[in-house]
Amino acid sequence: AAGTAFIAAGDSIGASTYVSSSQEDSPTIDVLNAIGLQGSATGNHEYDKGIDDLTGRVASEADFPYLAANVYDKGTTNVPDGLEEYTTIDVGGVKIAVIGVVTKDTTSLVSPDGIASVDFGDPTDAVNRVADELDALPEDQQPDMTVVEAHLGASSTESLAAAEASNAEFKKLVTEADPSIDALLTGHTHLPSNFDAPVPGDPDRTRPVIQAGNYGSVVGQLQLESDGAGNWTTTKSDLISTKDKDYSSPVVDKVKQIVADADEKAKGPGS
């Protein structure tokens, strides 16, 4: 194992507990920075305070990029300054491109005034557009692996067929995302799920489609292995419960201090 990329599917801020929300979620961003988050899709809740707050204050506080390939300046296909279509993470010499998208339903989930300057396009169309952009890069700049963080998901998880039938956005992403996409990580619906889906146009291949629950209750862990010719095989696809686990490390100590400081600071306005 060469190492790990640590990424997220959005809704890390917004609709948060009082201690964090009363401080504009800065404590939560501090925790994400401390635990080394390397990239995050935007969820609908990242837009709760409007696009300007997200692309300005939030983006400047975060040590990681917010990815929103299907969010555009009104009337264009340009992603707003402060957001990115994708990021590239180096994991032991393996270049992993991470594309982020968010559900089009965001337009009905947040205050319209805050997002009046942006359009939310089709997530899968955006993924495929960026996949084409990556494919057009000079060979030495192309990623070795491409994954998608999508803040959208199934509302039924009994099977892949049931999941696809439960949500049109999810079905389109799973069945129409470019064959160059090696893994799909979803969110939004809070349902832990772990599927292996056929790759469109390549019946001999499958790719993982995984959602890691909500509120940090589950960590999704994917391990993929290369055949050396650019093809990746999933060797592990696990949903790991974080309940009742005791972690001890300098990073955990730092997080505990951030939380303790935030608890203390929240007492003033809270009283």
Side-chain angles (χ1 to χ4, degrees):
T4 302
F6 176 42
I7 54 181
D11 273 10
S12 295
I13 59 171
S16 50
T17 58
Y18 173 77
V19 168
S20 183
S21 63
S22 64
Q23 296 169 67
E24 295 191 293
D25 287 320
S26 290
T28 296
I29 299 170
D30 290 343
V31 166
L32 296 174
N33 289 340
I35 61 179
L37 189 64
Q38 292 168 284
S40 176
T42 60
N44 50 288
H45 281 298
E46 266 80 11
Y47 299 88
D48 282 352
K49 291 183 182 290
I51 183 70
D52 293 343
D53 183 65
L54 172 59
T55 57
R57 181 188 67 85
V58 172
S60 66
E61 288 183 17
D63 293 343
F64 52 88
Y66 273 109
L67 312 171
N70 68 317
V71 180
Y72 308 114
D73 288 325
K74 199 88 177 166
T76 76
T77 52
N78 302 322
V79 173
D81 289 342
L83 302 176
E84 306 289 341
E85 293 180 324
Y86 71 95
T87 190
T88 304
I89 301 170
D90 187 300
V91 181
V94 176
K95 282 188 293 202
I96 303 174
V98 183
I99 305 170
V101 290
V102 61
T103 176
K104 282 186 75 172
D105 293 345
T106 300
T107 53
S108 61
L109 296 170
V110 302
S111 168
D113 292 348
I115 54 169
S117 65
V118 288
D119 295 324
F120 290 80
D122 181 90
T124 304
D125 292 352
V127 165
N128 291 345
R129 177 177 49 76
V130 176
D132 287 344
E133 290 173 12
L134 293 171
D135 189 50
L137 290 172
E139 198 162 329
D140 62 340
Q141 294 177 32
Q142 289 181 11
D144 302 304
M145 179 196 298
T146 304
V147 301
V148 168
E149 281 282 11
H151 192 80
L152 58 90
S155 54
S156 175
T157 55
E158 290 80 29
S159 66
L160 180 59
E164 289 178 355
S166 73
N167 183 272
E169 272 188 332
F170 177 83
K171 180 178 182 179
K172 183 172 181 179
L173 184 68
V174 172
T175 60
E176 297 184 31
D178 194 89
S180 66
I181 308 300
D182 298 295
L184 299 166
L185 299 94
T186 64
H188 188 52
T189 53
H190 295 202
L191 296 173
S193 56
N194 192 354
F195 302 118
D196 210 30
V199 175
D202 194 345
D204 297 330
R205 281 177 60 216
T206 62
R207 57 188 172 194
V209 180
I210 189 169
Q211 181 174 159
N214 64 327
Y215 288 119
S217 59
V218 176
V219 172
Q221 183 185 46
L222 290 178
Q223 290 183 2
L224 296 100
E225 198 170 82
S226 173
D227 65 357
N231 300 309
W232 293 89
T233 305
T234 307
T235 54
K236 181 186 272 190
S237 180
D238 286 346
L239 294 172
I240 302 169
S241 171
T242 57
K243 191 171 187 281
D244 300 327
K245 286 193 170 57
D246 186 35
Y247 300 97
S248 181
S249 77
V251 170
V252 171
D253 292 340
K254 186 174 182 181
V255 169
K256 286 180 176 175
Q257 190 59 56
I258 292 168
V259 173
D261 292 345
D263 278 338
E264 190 60 37
K265 195 171 175 183
K267 285 178 182 173
S271 65

